[in-house]
Amino acid sequence: MISLETQTHLTTEQVIDAAEQFYGPAGHGLAVAQRSRREIVLTGGGGSVNVTAARTGPDAPTTVSVTAREWETAATRFLATLPGPADSSGWIDRLRGLFGK
């Protein structure tokens, strides 16, 4: 089991949509067990993934938490697909910019 966290400029709804796209039937084929505006739980393949998204204010970044059982590698890959916070100028965001992601 793994628990990871990152921040993004996406809204909570956009994060949950991205998680469903990545893990759900069109992605890794997991079934949606529960979904709300700020959380999605997906199951399948002998494990589960729980993605939560929280934002403290309209200009604050969204904190994304992923807890995965049997989907540890995919959890790391999912977080790598999310853009960083709007004010981020870290190396990973510059690298993503070079490759158009």
Side-chain angles (χ1 to χ4, degrees):
M1 184 156 105
I2 193 169
S3 291
L4 302 168
E5 187 174 279
T6 194
Q7 290 188 325
T8 181
H9 71 269
L10 298 178
T11 66
T12 57
E13 293 88 355
Q14 289 171 321
V15 170
I16 300 307
D17 288 344
E20 183 171 7
Q21 195 82 28
F22 185 85
Y23 289 108
H28 286 288
L30 300 181
V32 176
Q34 177 184 337
R35 183 187 163 124
S36 69
R37 288 183 30 218
R38 295 184 196 153
E39 180 179 25
I40 188 166
V41 178
L42 301 110
T43 59
S48 63
V49 178
N50 182 354
V51 178
T52 60
R55 187 174 242 176
T56 58
D59 295 328
T62 300
T63 300
V64 182
S65 300
V66 178
T67 303
R69 183 179 307 272
E70 301 300 327
W71 290 94
E72 290 86 351
T73 303
T76 303
R77 278 190 253 135
F78 169 66
L79 290 180
T81 67
L82 300 177
D87 63 353
S88 175
S89 60
W91 69 270
I92 193 74
D93 291 308
R94 289 192 301 273
L95 184 61
R96 285 181 181 135
L98 290 173
F99 294 102
K101 291 187 176 185

